[in-house]
Amino acid sequence: MDRPANSSPDTRRVSLLPGTRKIIEGVERVYYEGYWIRYYQPPANTLSAKRHLITALTRRLFNHVEHGINISGVRLQQARHAYETALDPALKRVNGAMLAGALFNRASDIIAKLVEIQELGVEIRSDNALLRECGNCLQEALTLGRLVLHRSGEEGIDELWGEPLHAFSIPVEDFFESRYLKIASTLRDVDHIGAALTCCFEEDGDFAAIVPLIRCAIDAAHRKVETLQTDDLIFTVWPEFVVAGENLIHYRPPSASAEDIERVRHQEHGLQLVAQGWAILNDISRARTPMPKTTQSFIRRLEAFRQSGTCPGLLVPLTVPD
């Protein structure tokens, strides 16, 4: 499979300004942080556009964080009371995450109603009290975001929580530009994982044959990261991404004798690392946001496996996402 135009940093010794746009193989791309990323024309900077953007960002946020925190904005006061009265630190964290969810939904409700009023011909000024309340809700939710875990349980994605407030506070075009920077950071994490997996397995007799599958998965992850869900191209990109992951996690090394306990353990640990790597790639690519702590922790486990042939921390088989 050919690598996409954005699949690796542009290493040419040419000074390119961030935001430089160029047609590459018939596709308009924009340059950020060494990557040529598929470009999308931002919508007009209207309250209606912000409403659609914030709604989409909030929905995406809830798709990637722990279950049970998508609390209706109508229940904001109940959520706040539960958080403020919780005494156990572990319970208070979850209540705080639920409060953050309610705040996001309250902000979304407010801006939705303001758009409806605006569509009736009523001017909504920037100093409108409800707009200020919307901003306050998003700001408080952002503060509480540190309490929220990613659905994998490994790491919160603080940047996801900041995006609705960011989209509310700045022009839509500027928000799109900031997203390209995050996409570039995400692509770099994807590449780091791909390079670490390749380095770990390419000279391993049991796993060398998996390297082309790793490359295919990384290419598919690149295309997934840069493609908007609303783009018709997603009907090609998403199936390729899913199948690349399935091919990767279904890889099996040559059969080892049951009596060769060390080799059996080596293969089991290697397969668990492959599954874990795909789970992380899946999380990062779908969220289109870097997860640096999770990425670096995984790379350290790969290095430990490469040096010793086992990874003692991998004792329980992982559940691989669909």
mmCIF file of all heavy atoms in Angstrom, residues 194-230:
data_model
loop_
_atom_site.group_PDB
_atom_site.id
_atom_site.type_symbol
_atom_site.label_atom_id
_atom_site.label_comp_id
_atom_site.label_asym_id
_atom_site.label_seq_id
_atom_site.Cartn_x
_atom_site.Cartn_y
_atom_site.Cartn_z
ATOM 1 N N GLY A 194 4.488 3.543 15.789
ATOM 2 C CA GLY A 194 4.846 2.687 14.662
ATOM 3 C C GLY A 194 6.335 2.381 14.624
ATOM 4 O O GLY A 194 6.743 1.232 14.395
ATOM 5 N N ALA A 195 7.157 3.403 14.863
ATOM 6 C CA ALA A 195 8.606 3.203 14.852
ATOM 7 C C ALA A 195 9.042 2.286 15.989
ATOM 8 O O ALA A 195 9.909 1.421 15.816
ATOM 9 C CB ALA A 195 9.314 4.553 14.960
ATOM 10 N N ALA A 196 8.419 2.455 17.161
ATOM 11 C CA ALA A 196 8.785 1.629 18.313
ATOM 12 C C ALA A 196 8.371 0.174 18.103
ATOM 13 O O ALA A 196 9.115 -0.751 18.449
ATOM 14 C CB ALA A 196 8.137 2.190 19.579
ATOM 15 N N LEU A 197 7.184 -0.044 17.543
ATOM 16 C CA LEU A 197 6.744 -1.410 17.246
ATOM 17 C C LEU A 197 7.678 -2.068 16.237
ATOM 18 O O LEU A 197 8.077 -3.229 16.397
ATOM 19 C CB LEU A 197 5.314 -1.390 16.699
ATOM 20 C CG LEU A 197 4.180 -1.225 17.710
ATOM 21 C CD1 LEU A 197 2.874 -0.892 16.996
ATOM 22 C CD2 LEU A 197 4.012 -2.490 18.551
ATOM 23 N N THR A 198 8.034 -1.322 15.207
ATOM 24 C CA THR A 198 8.921 -1.862 14.175
ATOM 25 C C THR A 198 10.289 -2.203 14.752
ATOM 26 O O THR A 198 10.839 -3.288 14.509
ATOM 27 C CB THR A 198 9.071 -0.853 13.024
ATOM 28 O OG1 THR A 198 7.784 -0.606 12.449
ATOM 29 C CG2 THR A 198 10.003 -1.392 11.949
ATOM 30 N N CYS A 199 10.844 -1.287 15.534
ATOM 31 C CA CYS A 199 12.153 -1.517 16.150
ATOM 32 C C CYS A 199 12.120 -2.737 17.068
ATOM 33 O O CYS A 199 13.067 -3.516 17.125
ATOM 34 C CB CYS A 199 12.576 -0.273 16.928
ATOM 35 S SG CYS A 199 14.168 -0.416 17.760
ATOM 36 N N CYS A 200 11.002 -2.902 17.760
ATOM 37 C CA CYS A 200 10.874 -4.005 18.713
ATOM 38 C C CYS A 200 10.836 -5.362 18.014
ATOM 39 O O CYS A 200 11.427 -6.332 18.493
ATOM 40 C CB CYS A 200 9.606 -3.805 19.544
ATOM 41 S SG CYS A 200 9.312 -5.089 20.778
ATOM 42 N N PHE A 201 10.156 -5.423 16.867
ATOM 43 C CA PHE A 201 9.858 -6.725 16.270
ATOM 44 C C PHE A 201 10.627 -7.068 14.995
ATOM 45 O O PHE A 201 10.649 -8.233 14.590
ATOM 46 C CB PHE A 201 8.357 -6.811 15.964
ATOM 47 C CG PHE A 201 7.484 -6.819 17.189
ATOM 48 C CD1 PHE A 201 6.454 -5.904 17.331
ATOM 49 C CD2 PHE A 201 7.691 -7.744 18.197
ATOM 50 C CE1 PHE A 201 5.640 -5.912 18.456
ATOM 51 C CE2 PHE A 201 6.890 -7.764 19.333
ATOM 52 C CZ PHE A 201 5.861 -6.842 19.463
ATOM 53 N N GLU A 202 11.262 -6.096 14.354
ATOM 54 C CA GLU A 202 11.806 -6.361 13.020
ATOM 55 C C GLU A 202 12.928 -7.401 13.002
ATOM 56 O O GLU A 202 13.140 -8.070 11.989
ATOM 57 C CB GLU A 202 12.286 -5.054 12.376
ATOM 58 C CG GLU A 202 13.414 -4.364 13.098
ATOM 59 C CD GLU A 202 13.761 -3.022 12.457
ATOM 60 O OE1 GLU A 202 13.291 -2.767 11.334
ATOM 61 O OE2 GLU A 202 14.500 -2.240 13.088
ATOM 62 N N GLU A 203 13.639 -7.559 14.105
ATOM 63 C CA GLU A 203 14.714 -8.549 14.142
ATOM 64 C C GLU A 203 14.364 -9.734 15.037
ATOM 65 O O GLU A 203 15.227 -10.529 15.394
ATOM 66 C CB GLU A 203 16.010 -7.890 14.616
ATOM 67 C CG GLU A 203 16.523 -6.823 13.652
ATOM 68 C CD GLU A 203 17.847 -6.223 14.088
ATOM 69 O OE1 GLU A 203 18.391 -6.685 15.115
ATOM 70 O OE2 GLU A 203 18.333 -5.312 13.403
ATOM 71 N N ASP A 204 13.095 -9.844 15.374
ATOM 72 C CA ASP A 204 12.614 -10.940 16.218
ATOM 73 C C ASP A 204 12.097 -12.054 15.311
ATOM 74 O O ASP A 204 11.176 -11.846 14.520
ATOM 75 C CB ASP A 204 11.492 -10.415 17.125
ATOM 76 C CG ASP A 204 11.045 -11.430 18.166
ATOM 77 O OD1 ASP A 204 10.816 -12.599 17.797
ATOM 78 O OD2 ASP A 204 10.908 -11.049 19.337
ATOM 79 N N GLY A 205 12.679 -13.233 15.420
ATOM 80 C CA GLY A 205 12.300 -14.331 14.542
ATOM 81 C C GLY A 205 10.830 -14.691 14.601
ATOM 82 O O GLY A 205 10.249 -15.143 13.611
ATOM 83 N N ASP A 206 10.210 -14.485 15.753
ATOM 84 C CA ASP A 206 8.794 -14.815 15.894
ATOM 85 C C ASP A 206 7.875 -13.717 15.355
ATOM 86 O O ASP A 206 6.700 -13.982 15.065
ATOM 87 C CB ASP A 206 8.453 -15.057 17.371
ATOM 88 C CG ASP A 206 8.990 -16.388 17.877
ATOM 89 O OD1 ASP A 206 8.965 -17.364 17.096
ATOM 90 O OD2 ASP A 206 9.442 -16.448 19.036
ATOM 91 N N PHE A 207 8.394 -12.497 15.234
ATOM 92 C CA PHE A 207 7.511 -11.374 14.911
ATOM 93 C C PHE A 207 7.948 -10.536 13.712
ATOM 94 O O PHE A 207 7.266 -9.569 13.364
ATOM 95 C CB PHE A 207 7.374 -10.461 16.137
ATOM 96 C CG PHE A 207 6.569 -11.058 17.248
ATOM 97 C CD1 PHE A 207 7.194 -11.736 18.284
ATOM 98 C CD2 PHE A 207 5.187 -10.964 17.255
ATOM 99 C CE1 PHE A 207 6.459 -12.305 19.311
ATOM 100 C CE2 PHE A 207 4.435 -11.527 18.280
ATOM 101 C CZ PHE A 207 5.068 -12.203 19.306
ATOM 102 N N ALA A 208 9.050 -10.890 13.067
ATOM 103 C CA ALA A 208 9.533 -10.069 11.951
ATOM 104 C C ALA A 208 8.484 -9.930 10.850
ATOM 105 O O ALA A 208 8.371 -8.876 10.205
ATOM 106 C CB ALA A 208 10.822 -10.663 11.382
ATOM 107 N N ALA A 209 7.676 -10.969 10.650
ATOM 108 C CA ALA A 209 6.679 -10.946 9.574
ATOM 109 C C ALA A 209 5.531 -9.977 9.851
ATOM 110 O O ALA A 209 4.714 -9.707 8.960
ATOM 111 C CB ALA A 209 6.125 -12.356 9.346
ATOM 112 N N ILE A 210 5.480 -9.442 11.070
ATOM 113 C CA ILE A 210 4.395 -8.519 11.401
ATOM 114 C C ILE A 210 4.699 -7.090 10.950
ATOM 115 O O ILE A 210 3.801 -6.245 10.902
ATOM 116 C CB ILE A 210 4.107 -8.534 12.925
ATOM 117 C CG1 ILE A 210 2.678 -8.049 13.204
ATOM 118 C CG2 ILE A 210 5.112 -7.675 13.692
ATOM 119 C CD1 ILE A 210 2.274 -8.155 14.666
ATOM 120 N N VAL A 211 5.948 -6.809 10.598
ATOM 121 C CA VAL A 211 6.348 -5.431 10.276
ATOM 122 C C VAL A 211 5.516 -4.820 9.146
ATOM 123 O O VAL A 211 5.068 -3.672 9.262
ATOM 124 C CB VAL A 211 7.859 -5.365 9.974
ATOM 125 C CG1 VAL A 211 8.241 -3.995 9.415
ATOM 126 C CG2 VAL A 211 8.653 -5.654 11.248
ATOM 127 N N PRO A 212 5.262 -5.525 8.030
ATOM 128 C CA PRO A 212 4.397 -4.925 6.995
ATOM 129 C C PRO A 212 2.991 -4.610 7.510
ATOM 130 O O PRO A 212 2.372 -3.632 7.075
ATOM 131 C CB PRO A 212 4.359 -5.999 5.902
ATOM 132 C CG PRO A 212 5.597 -6.800 6.109
ATOM 133 C CD PRO A 212 5.810 -6.823 7.590
ATOM 134 N N LEU A 213 2.490 -5.418 8.436
ATOM 135 C CA LEU A 213 1.165 -5.160 9.006
ATOM 136 C C LEU A 213 1.191 -3.914 9.889
ATOM 137 O O LEU A 213 0.212 -3.158 9.939
ATOM 138 C CB LEU A 213 0.697 -6.370 9.814
ATOM 139 C CG LEU A 213 0.576 -7.693 9.051
ATOM 140 C CD1 LEU A 213 0.108 -8.804 9.984
ATOM 141 C CD2 LEU A 213 -0.382 -7.545 7.875
ATOM 142 N N ILE A 214 2.301 -3.712 10.582
ATOM 143 C CA ILE A 214 2.458 -2.491 11.385
ATOM 144 C C ILE A 214 2.444 -1.276 10.471
ATOM 145 O O ILE A 214 1.749 -0.286 10.732
ATOM 146 C CB ILE A 214 3.773 -2.537 12.196
ATOM 147 C CG1 ILE A 214 3.722 -3.645 13.245
ATOM 148 C CG2 ILE A 214 4.042 -1.182 12.856
ATOM 149 C CD1 ILE A 214 5.057 -3.903 13.931
ATOM 150 N N ARG A 215 3.189 -1.353 9.384
ATOM 151 C CA ARG A 215 3.259 -0.227 8.444
ATOM 152 C C ARG A 215 1.876 0.087 7.871
ATOM 153 O O ARG A 215 1.477 1.248 7.762
ATOM 154 C CB ARG A 215 4.243 -0.550 7.321
ATOM 155 C CG ARG A 215 4.492 0.615 6.368
ATOM 156 C CD ARG A 215 5.539 0.268 5.331
ATOM 157 N NE ARG A 215 6.804 -0.098 5.962
ATOM 158 C CZ ARG A 215 7.338 -1.314 5.914
ATOM 159 N NH1 ARG A 215 6.721 -2.289 5.275
ATOM 160 N NH2 ARG A 215 8.493 -1.557 6.497
ATOM 161 N N CYS A 216 1.132 -0.953 7.536
ATOM 162 C CA CYS A 216 -0.209 -0.767 6.988
ATOM 163 C C CYS A 216 -1.124 -0.109 8.020
ATOM 164 O O CYS A 216 -1.912 0.785 7.690
ATOM 165 C CB CYS A 216 -0.773 -2.118 6.550
ATOM 166 S SG CYS A 216 -2.391 -2.021 5.760
ATOM 167 N N ALA A 217 -1.010 -0.534 9.278
ATOM 168 C CA ALA A 217 -1.840 0.034 10.339
ATOM 169 C C ALA A 217 -1.506 1.505 10.575
ATOM 170 O O ALA A 217 -2.403 2.332 10.796
ATOM 171 C CB ALA A 217 -1.660 -0.769 11.629
ATOM 172 N N ILE A 218 -0.231 1.842 10.525
ATOM 173 C CA ILE A 218 0.174 3.235 10.724
ATOM 174 C C ILE A 218 -0.333 4.103 9.579
ATOM 175 O O ILE A 218 -0.840 5.213 9.791
ATOM 176 C CB ILE A 218 1.709 3.332 10.849
ATOM 177 C CG1 ILE A 218 2.191 2.576 12.095
ATOM 178 C CG2 ILE A 218 2.146 4.794 10.909
ATOM 179 C CD1 ILE A 218 1.578 3.033 13.392
ATOM 180 N N ASP A 219 -0.222 3.612 8.349
ATOM 181 C CA ASP A 219 -0.744 4.362 7.204
ATOM 182 C C ASP A 219 -2.246 4.599 7.347
ATOM 183 O O ASP A 219 -2.748 5.698 7.092
ATOM 184 C CB ASP A 219 -0.469 3.597 5.907
ATOM 185 C CG ASP A 219 1.004 3.615 5.515
ATOM 186 O OD1 ASP A 219 1.771 4.379 6.128
ATOM 187 O OD2 ASP A 219 1.382 2.856 4.599
ATOM 188 N N ALA A 220 -2.964 3.549 7.749
ATOM 189 C CA ALA A 220 -4.413 3.668 7.912
ATOM 190 C C ALA A 220 -4.752 4.644 9.034
ATOM 191 O O ALA A 220 -5.719 5.409 8.940
ATOM 192 C CB ALA A 220 -5.020 2.295 8.201
ATOM 193 N N ALA A 221 -3.949 4.632 10.099
ATOM 194 C CA ALA A 221 -4.173 5.563 11.207
ATOM 195 C C ALA A 221 -3.962 7.002 10.752
ATOM 196 O O ALA A 221 -4.708 7.905 11.139
ATOM 197 C CB ALA A 221 -3.241 5.227 12.371
ATOM 198 N N HIS A 222 -2.965 7.232 9.918
ATOM 199 C CA HIS A 222 -2.737 8.575 9.375
ATOM 200 C C HIS A 222 -3.975 9.069 8.631
ATOM 201 O O HIS A 222 -4.420 10.202 8.824
ATOM 202 C CB HIS A 222 -1.541 8.557 8.419
ATOM 203 C CG HIS A 222 -0.237 8.854 9.085
ATOM 204 N ND1 HIS A 222 0.346 10.090 9.060
ATOM 205 C CD2 HIS A 222 0.595 8.066 9.810
ATOM 206 C CE1 HIS A 222 1.486 10.058 9.725
ATOM 207 N NE2 HIS A 222 1.661 8.835 10.193
ATOM 208 N N ARG A 223 -4.505 8.224 7.779
ATOM 209 C CA ARG A 223 -5.671 8.643 6.997
ATOM 210 C C ARG A 223 -6.878 8.885 7.893
ATOM 211 O O ARG A 223 -7.663 9.804 7.661
ATOM 212 C CB ARG A 223 -5.978 7.597 5.921
ATOM 213 C CG ARG A 223 -4.949 7.574 4.795
ATOM 214 C CD ARG A 223 -5.397 6.683 3.650
ATOM 215 N NE ARG A 223 -5.335 5.273 4.016
ATOM 216 C CZ ARG A 223 -4.247 4.518 3.898
ATOM 217 N NH1 ARG A 223 -3.120 5.042 3.436
ATOM 218 N NH2 ARG A 223 -4.266 3.239 4.236
ATOM 219 N N LYS A 224 -7.018 8.057 8.930
ATOM 220 C CA LYS A 224 -8.145 8.247 9.856
ATOM 221 C C LYS A 224 -8.002 9.568 10.605
ATOM 222 O O LYS A 224 -8.973 10.315 10.763
ATOM 223 C CB LYS A 224 -8.196 7.085 10.857
ATOM 224 C CG LYS A 224 -9.237 7.257 11.963
ATOM 225 C CD LYS A 224 -10.641 7.300 11.391
ATOM 226 C CE LYS A 224 -11.685 7.603 12.465
ATOM 227 N NZ LYS A 224 -11.729 9.036 12.826
ATOM 228 N N VAL A 225 -6.814 9.872 11.067
ATOM 229 C CA VAL A 225 -6.599 11.083 11.859
ATOM 230 C C VAL A 225 -6.923 12.337 11.052
ATOM 231 O O VAL A 225 -7.521 13.287 11.569
ATOM 232 C CB VAL A 225 -5.140 11.139 12.373
ATOM 233 C CG1 VAL A 225 -4.826 12.502 12.975
ATOM 234 C CG2 VAL A 225 -4.898 10.040 13.406
ATOM 235 N N GLU A 226 -6.554 12.361 9.788
ATOM 236 C CA GLU A 226 -6.698 13.590 9.006
ATOM 237 C C GLU A 226 -8.059 13.730 8.331
ATOM 238 O O GLU A 226 -8.348 14.766 7.734
ATOM 239 C CB GLU A 226 -5.603 13.663 7.940
ATOM 240 C CG GLU A 226 -5.769 12.669 6.816
ATOM 241 C CD GLU A 226 -4.840 12.948 5.637
ATOM 242 O OE1 GLU A 226 -4.061 13.914 5.705
ATOM 243 O OE2 GLU A 226 -4.912 12.197 4.655
ATOM 244 N N THR A 227 -8.912 12.717 8.410
ATOM 245 C CA THR A 227 -10.185 12.736 7.691
ATOM 246 C C THR A 227 -11.341 13.056 8.625
ATOM 247 O O THR A 227 -11.536 12.381 9.642
ATOM 248 C CB THR A 227 -10.440 11.373 7.011
ATOM 249 O OG1 THR A 227 -9.330 11.045 6.173
ATOM 250 C CG2 THR A 227 -11.709 11.414 6.180
ATOM 251 N N LEU A 228 -12.115 14.067 8.279
ATOM 252 C CA LEU A 228 -13.288 14.411 9.072
ATOM 253 C C LEU A 228 -14.373 13.348 8.906
ATOM 254 O O LEU A 228 -14.537 12.764 7.829
ATOM 255 C CB LEU A 228 -13.850 15.766 8.640
ATOM 256 C CG LEU A 228 -13.047 17.012 9.021
ATOM 257 C CD1 LEU A 228 -13.773 18.265 8.541
ATOM 258 C CD2 LEU A 228 -12.827 17.081 10.523
ATOM 259 N N GLN A 229 -15.128 13.135 9.974
ATOM 260 C CA GLN A 229 -16.193 12.140 9.939
ATOM 261 C C GLN A 229 -17.275 12.512 8.931
ATOM 262 O O GLN A 229 -17.988 11.644 8.419
ATOM 263 C CB GLN A 229 -16.799 11.997 11.344
ATOM 264 C CG GLN A 229 -17.610 10.742 11.568
ATOM 265 C CD GLN A 229 -16.762 9.480 11.602
ATOM 266 O OE1 GLN A 229 -15.551 9.548 11.801
ATOM 267 N NE2 GLN A 229 -17.393 8.329 11.415
ATOM 268 N N THR A 230 -17.406 13.804 8.633
ATOM 269 C CA THR A 230 -18.431 14.264 7.694
ATOM 270 C C THR A 230 -17.998 14.156 6.234
ATOM 271 O O THR A 230 -18.798 14.397 5.331
ATOM 272 C CB THR A 230 -18.792 15.729 7.997
ATOM 273 O OG1 THR A 230 -17.591 16.516 8.024
ATOM 274 C CG2 THR A 230 -19.494 15.842 9.344
#
